[in-house]
Amino acid sequence: MQTASTPTHCPYCALQCGMTLSPLPKGGVEVVERPDFPVNRGALCGKGRTAAAVLSSRVRLTSPLVRSGGSLVPATWEEALDRIAGELGRVRDTHGADALGVFGGGGLTNEKAYTLGKFARVVLGTSQIDYNGRFCMSSAAAAGVRAFGLDRGLPFPLEDVPRTGCVILVGSNLAETMPPSLRFFSELRENGGTLIVIDPRRTKTAEQADLHLAPRPGTDLALALGLLHLIVAEGRVDEEYVRERTVGWEEARAAAMAHWPEYVERITGVSVPQLRETVRLFCEPEAAMVLTARGPEQQAKGTDTVGAWINLCLATGRAGRPLSGYGCLTGQGNGQGGREHGQKADQLPGYRKLDDPAARAHVAGVWGVDPDSLPGPGRSAYELLDALGTDLRALLLMGSNPVVSAPHAAHVEKRIGSLDFLAVCDVVLSETAALADVVLPVTQWAEETGTTTSLEGRVLLRRQAVTAPDDVRSDLEVLHELAARLGVEKGFPVEPEEVFEELRRASAGGVADYSGITYRRLAEENGVFWPCPARDDEPAPGTPRLFLDRFATPDGRARFVPVSHRPNAEEPDDDYPVLLTTGRVVAQYQSGAQTRRVDELNAAAPGPFVELHPRLAARLGAAEGDRVAVVSRRGRAVAPARITTGIRPDTVFMPFHWPGEGRANTLTNPALDPTSRMPEFKSCAVRLELAE
């Protein structure tokens, strides 16, 4: 039995709120506030407060399962591991290494993400690895790299937000997705600053704003370009900054000037006076920020859309200066670290590019393999899922539930069902795990030690607080055992700190350099910001604020990228006249695989719904609570109507946390951004029907 309290971090979103797990007299633990952690200062949302409920053996997996006679039945670890290794080896021998796929998750610790990428490339020899973070922040990452030479969710700590003059929050409902962070924005307003929220819905976050703009879904790019047009026209460009710290302004300026205010008003539905007021509020203070989330990013033009908001910051001198800049509100718990250390299709540890010979040589040296043996870049997440059952014959999946979370989810479910073999490692029997041939029960946040990287780029230490059930093992043990069975006896340690020490070496000299970070420092310092290169004489300080002296480009200058508005991949027409947008609610998280097992959270958010405007409901003949069918070119979802004036009349909203007939991602469009390969979750054409 645990006898002492353990300081650790929440298992859910990228705030990674600090909490303490304290023992209960009759066994188990309770979540207690931890005021010393600066991001949440003790505050927790309902998901964080109830996080210990998922540790219960009543809701989590406690033994391996193998498919026999069409059903999943309990098995020993030896049986389960032997079957996985045997099937992966058989498929590789018959169809080649690239017939094997690996799919990871943005909730895996850095140690797990690192080891999973190494396992795919060293043990399996496959290029076919990606992760569900591709669905979350990839457009912002691509735009950040393109403009600044580096992607880190926030280039400054959240503590800077209350001290700036204005924040434009684009496509984020953080009052529900990251509730403890809302205090920073409330403090901003208390200090005399201004909050502008851009969202098609009048969300709980929008209700806190000084100015709320409600553009038509998928028109954020045009909106940003219209604002930049006005900044130029009104003489608000910081010419000295543009000249000294950027390149590419003339081309970006020309592109923006083609988006005059009245044209942008017709596209977005945002009035010209609102556009002008936004420019005034953003440009008058000495410092300002633009923060984006999934709204502008989950589009088939998401990289360009984020790029347009970055251009706005650059033109006004609001990047690489104190209390100013562009940032992305990363979503998943380790969405930042998950994309830095090798489970993304085109990356090696340290945020190195897989097609860079020097990067391959460095990482191969740490791994003790020939650089030429490492496969090249593979498919992005949706493309990998779409290829299942064709030239991809077997899949190892860790920490993801694409049957609920992927776009065009019914199609993805069919593709998963067509595999020769599926193995899933998870804490619970998710909808995807229920389709597997082998399911392995693995440890979760409070049962293991490991690091995550928050949306601030702050590397944190989660500590083991409880002992896992007897027949549960860690993902690191799983990969160690599978590697040995597939002929690689060394190089896959099971102790997290040993893995992290190797990760430090692999990341050294990379963009995301963790080489100066140790478990001891993380415990003593409440986390360390990367990049943090190792020093011989003293601990490296870490980098809370990026770009103050130069950007991470070869010449130290930021890049303007010229972009232009283009329509959604799928616009409304006579058959599908309404736009659907999707998102989250406060009491559930991602695919809901864990939160839907917590009674308190289910009481607060028991199921899906369709949010629609009274005028749209009247045309449909729907009343509050009526079952409404939402139909797209990909399928049909049914959920109760929730009627509100807080949404545009041409738009409906559905949360995406539930499977079954209310699965929102049955409807969503897998059209991909050409750069980030992000699917267009945030906009698709639908029609509404009253369901029987």
Side-chain angles (χ1 to χ4, degrees):
M1 174 182 166
Q2 181 195 8
T3 58
S5 296
T6 305
T8 189
H9 295 273
C10 180
Y12 292 115
C13 83
L15 285 180
Q16 289 296 281
C17 291
M19 59 171 57
T20 296
L21 294 182
S22 295
L24 292 168
K26 295 183 179 180
V29 291
E30 65 175 342
V31 174
V32 179
E33 293 182 355
R34 183 182 158 195
D36 70 307
F37 188 62
V39 172
N40 63 308
R41 307 175 203 163
L44 294 168
C45 72
K47 296 185 293 293
R49 286 188 293 98
T50 61
V54 187
L55 298 170
S56 169
S57 294
R58 295 191 303 273
V59 301
R60 56 90 47 78
L61 292 166
T62 56
S63 66
L65 304 172
V66 299
R67 191 163 297 279
S68 176
S71 301
L72 287 170
V73 299
T76 68
W77 272 95
E78 293 302 307
E79 291 170 337
L81 291 167
D82 285 347
R83 184 162 175 184
I84 296 173
E87 289 294 328
L88 295 180
R90 179 190 63 78
V91 169
R92 182 176 62 183
D93 292 345
T94 305
H95 302 286
D98 274 355
L100 302 175
V102 177
F103 200 86
L108 300 180
T109 63
N110 290 318
E111 292 80 0
K112 294 179 185 179
Y114 171 85
T115 304
L116 187 62
K118 181 180 179 181
F119 178 85
R121 295 176 174 112
V122 173
V123 178
L124 301 182
T126 183
S127 66
Q128 301 302 301
I129 175 172
D130 209 74
Y131 83 126
N132 62 15
R134 180 77 67 171
F135 299 158
C136 199
M137 299 80 52
S138 58
S139 291
V145 170
R146 197 163 67 175
F148 306 131
L150 181 152
D151 154 51
R152 196 181 83 183
L154 295 181
F156 39 72
L158 274 168
E159 66 187 39
D160 284 0
V161 168
R163 299 189 292 145
T164 193
C166 176
V167 173
I168 300 180
L169 192 60
V170 190
S172 171
N173 182 17
L174 53 80
E176 296 201 63
T177 59
M178 298 178 172
S181 70
L182 190 62
R183 67 169 55 187
F184 293 102
F185 298 86
S186 299
E187 290 170 8
L188 163 74
R189 299 183 68 211
E190 291 168 5
N191 292 340
T194 303
L195 176 62
I196 301 170
V197 171
I198 297 172
D199 198 302
R201 305 165 59 220
R202 188 162 180 81
T203 63
K204 292 180 180 179
T205 308
E207 290 173 355
Q208 307 298 313
D210 297 282
L211 178 63
H212 171 218
L213 310 182
R216 183 173 176 267
T219 62
D220 312 87
L221 174 53
L223 179 60
L225 287 162
L227 295 174
L228 184 53
H229 177 112
L230 284 171
I231 285 168
V232 175
E234 295 178 5
R236 296 181 183 270
V237 175
D238 188 333
E239 300 286 356
E240 181 180 0
Y241 173 94
V242 168
R243 184 171 56 253
E244 294 182 355
R245 298 204 61 186
T246 73
V247 296
W249 167 234
E250 290 304 320
E251 294 83 357
R253 177 185 181 280
M257 296 314 288
H259 298 76
W260 59 95
E262 293 76 14
Y263 172 57
V264 169
E265 180 182 73
R266 290 198 301 272
I267 294 171
T268 65
V270 177
S271 70
V272 173
Q274 283 185 311
L275 296 175
R276 294 189 183 279
E277 179 67 358
T278 301
V279 167
R280 183 187 71 79
L281 292 173
F282 183 68
C283 291
E284 285 188 353
E286 183 178 345
M289 300 173 179
V290 172
L291 304 178
T292 67
R294 308 298 80 75
E297 296 161 23
Q298 288 180 328
Q299 301 181 26
K301 52 182 181 292
T303 303
D304 283 356
T305 301
V306 174
W309 290 102
I310 292 175
N311 286 350
L312 198 74
C313 290
L314 293 177
T316 53
R318 304 302 175 88
R321 283 180 169 172
L323 307 180
S324 288
Y326 163 77
C328 162
L329 296 170
T330 300
Q332 294 192 76
N334 196 31
Q336 182 69 50
R339 66 182 182 265
E340 294 169 3
H341 296 301
Q343 66 172 334
K344 198 174 177 184
D346 58 348
Q347 287 178 355
L348 289 169
Y351 228 140
R352 289 180 160 91
K353 300 297 290 183
L354 189 53
D355 56 5
D356 177 358
R360 293 169 66 88
H362 173 83
V363 174
V366 174
W367 289 350
V369 299
D370 184 343
D372 292 337
S373 71
L374 299 178
R379 294 178 174 94
S380 70
Y382 180 78
E383 292 166 306
L384 189 156
L385 295 171
D386 188 42
L388 298 179
T390 57
D391 56 334
L392 262 173
R393 311 298 290 267
L395 182 69
L396 173 64
L397 185 146
M398 284 186 168
S400 187
N401 188 18
V403 165
V404 178
S405 63
H408 200 183
H411 171 71
V412 169
E413 186 173 0
K414 289 178 182 177
R415 299 271 28 100
I416 289 174
S418 69
L419 282 165
D420 292 358
F421 180 76
L422 171 65
V424 173
C425 301
D426 210 331
V427 173
V428 297
L429 190 67
S430 70
E431 287 72 23
T432 305
L435 302 177
D437 298 287
V438 179
V439 182
L440 299 180
V442 291
T443 52
Q444 54 180 307
W445 63 291
E447 300 164 346
E448 61 189 11
T449 295
T451 62
T452 61
T453 306
S454 76
L455 79 170
E456 300 177 300
R458 188 195 301 252
V459 185
L460 301 164
L461 183 64
R462 283 193 198 155
R463 299 166 176 86
Q464 181 181 355
V466 299
T467 302
D470 290 342
D471 217 16
V472 171
R473 299 184 185 179
S474 76
D475 297 277
L476 296 179
E477 291 177 282
V478 169
L479 294 173
H480 172 86
E481 292 290 340
L482 290 177
R485 283 167 169 78
L486 290 165
V488 181
E489 299 285 346
K490 297 181 179 180
F492 289 86
V494 300
E495 291 300 324
E497 188 168 7
E498 187 176 349
V499 176
F500 189 79
E501 288 301 305
E502 182 179 305
L503 183 157
R504 292 176 61 203
R505 298 195 302 275
S507 73
V511 174
D513 190 334
Y514 283 29
S515 61
I517 303 174
T518 64
Y519 270 31
R520 179 177 177 179
R521 287 193 65 188
L522 295 177
E524 293 176 349
E525 299 177 30
N526 251 338
V528 178
F529 292 86
W530 72 261
C532 184
R535 292 181 176 178
D536 294 333
D537 53 344
E538 60 180 339
T543 315
R545 295 169 181 84
L546 297 170
F547 312 139
L548 295 180
D549 298 317
R550 67 190 312 276
F551 295 97
T553 56
D555 60 5
R557 293 170 175 259
R559 269 68 173 144
F560 281 99
V561 178
V563 295
S564 296
H565 167 71
R566 55 186 186 272
N568 291 318
E570 186 176 80
E571 290 285 0
D573 56 22
D574 291 342
D575 294 325
Y576 300 93
V578 177
L579 282 172
L580 167 71
T581 191
T582 63
R584 289 169 48 190
V585 297
V586 66
Q588 300 289 352
Y589 180 72
Q590 303 298 76
S591 75
Q594 295 183 41
T595 51
R596 284 187 277 111
R597 287 166 168 80
V598 179
D599 292 341
E600 180 180 329
L601 300 179
N602 284 332
F609 57 87
V610 181
E611 188 176 278
L612 65 165
H613 191 275
R615 294 210 300 266
L616 185 55
R619 290 202 300 271
L620 182 64
E624 181 77 15
D626 284 353
R627 282 166 50 83
V628 172
V630 184
V631 184
S632 78
R633 290 178 173 84
R634 288 155 295 282
R636 184 174 189 265
V638 179
R642 185 174 292 183
I643 300 172
T644 173
T645 57
I647 191 169
R648 291 175 55 96
D650 57 3
T651 301
V652 295
F653 167 84
M654 289 188 72
F656 59 78
H657 309 290
W658 287 274
E661 70 170 1
R663 181 175 60 184
N665 278 320
T666 297
L667 309 168
T668 47
N669 189 356
L672 301 181
D673 181 287
T675 302
S676 69
R677 316 309 289 169
M678 168 76 85
E680 187 151 274
F681 286 101
K682 286 300 180 186
S683 176
C684 71
V686 298
R687 68 171 181 267
L688 305 183
E689 302 168 352
L690 285 176
E692 296 181 358

